[in-house]
Amino acid sequence: MKFAKKNVVVAAATLALAALLGLAGCSGNQQASEKSDESAQAPQAEQPAKEVQLQIFAANSLTKAMDEAQALYTSQNPQVTFADTQYEASGTLNEMLGAGQYADILITASKSTMDTAVTEGYVNADTNETMFTNQLVVVSKEGNTLGDITLQDIASGAYTVAIGDENVPAGNYACQSLTTVGAYVEPNGATGKDATGKGGQFSEVLQPKVTLGSSVGNVCRYAETGDVDLALVYTSDVYRFGGVEVVSIVPDDTHKAITYPGAVCADSAHAEAAQAFLEWCLTDPDCEKIWQKWGFELA
């Protein structure tokens, strides 16, 4: 009897322990299930945007405006920074891309140079868009007493003048304008908006008076220092460099429209980020103020 009684006690104790363990297990499983449900319902943490560095090739005349625009963009989008932006004559930028140099974005100072980039496959044609406009002006050293200078005055050879070379769109526009007064002659005789501003010759009267510059910045400096009497540059260059003043505005109907097309480069590793930046340049109100500050207008 004692043995049987002992077994009953042990069995009862075993059953009680099992019940307790079962309850604990159920409670643990319920808590785990609740935690799992809570985890499933909780919103996922937003993943940080991937950091991107964009390389831009841009026309010389955009230097100060583009630097300021890039700084503003990074302040609004800290994950996007910019490599050392290359500012060159538009033709030179195409030559750099043709030689295999890398860029995410190309912005030129003429439609013709962007057309070349499209034809050569340097950029994605679908992303090509006119971004800005500019104006061609005649400038002289600040404080000059020349008065209003016309294209006919320049053609007469009465003044020395600086003009961009064939790689410089501002020089092309200048030569187009000079065809209308016989001061520059193209091989096919085209004039004004039909001219290219390339491949021709200055008249015998003007040729000795012309100094060619490898960039519109150099052209402007020739006038600023007084090395030449006049220079044909963009309105934006007056804002950009100072030290010169406008003596006349070149009539728009004497040259092709001065536009700045932009496009994403065909080999860009950051095409989406590059496209986003170009769109921002055209739509952000604060960025528009930057373009206007430096003499550009949105197209």
Side-chain angles (χ1 to χ4, degrees):
M1 289 294 288
K2 288 181 181 179
F3 179 75
K5 191 174 186 178
K6 183 178 180 181
N7 283 345
V8 170
V9 172
V10 170
T14 301
L15 288 172
L17 179 61
L20 288 172
L21 290 173
L23 288 171
C26 289
S27 175
N29 289 338
Q30 183 178 1
Q31 291 176 359
S33 176
E34 289 174 353
K35 288 182 179 179
S36 177
D37 291 342
E38 289 174 0
S39 177
Q41 294 172 5
Q44 295 295 313
E46 186 177 345
Q47 295 298 316
K50 182 181 178 182
E51 292 188 359
V52 171
Q53 185 178 65
L54 296 176
Q55 175 68 70
I56 296 180
F57 281 11
N60 262 315
S61 47
L62 286 166
T63 302
K64 291 191 176 180
M66 184 59 69
D67 282 349
E68 198 169 321
Q70 289 173 0
L72 176 61
Y73 191 74
T74 297
S75 72
Q76 296 180 7
N77 304 272
Q79 76 279 11
V80 181
T81 57
F82 297 88
D84 183 21
T85 298
Q86 299 299 298
Y87 298 107
E88 297 286 350
S90 298
T92 302
L93 294 175
N94 274 340
E95 291 172 2
M96 292 164 62
L97 290 172
Q101 293 193 42
Y102 177 86
D104 295 294
I105 292 171
L106 173 67
I107 305 176
T108 68
S110 72
K111 180 180 181 298
S112 62
T113 46
M114 182 59 75
D115 287 346
T116 297
V118 170
T119 301
E120 296 296 327
Y122 302 150
V123 298
N124 182 343
D126 293 337
T127 66
N128 180 14
E129 184 174 6
T130 300
M131 300 180 68
F132 319 113
T133 63
N134 213 329
Q135 194 170 37
L136 190 67
V137 294
V138 181
V139 300
S140 186
K141 184 176 181 178
E142 204 167 45
N144 76 82
T145 57
L146 295 176
D148 186 51
I149 299 293
T150 66
L151 290 173
Q152 288 82 358
D153 293 330
I154 295 173
S156 73
Y159 304 96
T160 55
V161 59
I163 297 172
D165 65 27
E166 290 197 356
N167 263 339
V168 181
N172 304 146
Y173 295 125
C175 289
Q176 290 165 21
S177 293
L178 290 171
T179 63
T180 64
V181 290
Y184 184 83
V185 181
E186 296 210 341
N188 63 356
T191 61
K193 292 184 176 182
D194 295 326
T196 63
K198 297 180 179 181
Q201 291 184 333
F202 294 104
S203 66
E204 291 185 8
V205 173
L206 186 59
Q207 177 65 51
K209 302 288 186 173
V210 173
T211 297
L212 295 178
S214 59
S215 72
V216 70
N218 288 339
V219 172
C220 200
R221 289 188 191 94
Y222 291 141
E224 180 187 356
T225 58
D227 290 339
V228 296
D229 300 318
L230 307 169
L232 279 83
V233 299
Y234 298 129
T235 300
S236 59
D237 296 314
V238 180
Y239 292 91
R240 188 159 64 110
F241 295 109
V244 296
E245 61 183 74
V246 176
V247 295
S248 63
I249 297 173
V250 178
D252 289 340
D253 61 1
T254 64
H255 58 78
K256 297 182 188 298
I258 301 175
T259 58
Y260 288 68
V264 177
C265 292
D267 294 334
S268 172
H270 312 294
E272 287 188 14
Q275 184 65 52
F277 174 72
L278 289 176
E279 291 176 0
W280 174 87
C281 285
L282 299 176
T283 57
D284 185 84
D286 291 329
C287 187
E288 182 176 3
K289 293 175 184 176
I290 292 174
W291 305 131
Q292 292 174 342
K293 169 185 173 182
W294 294 105
F296 298 95
E297 293 293 335
L298 293 180

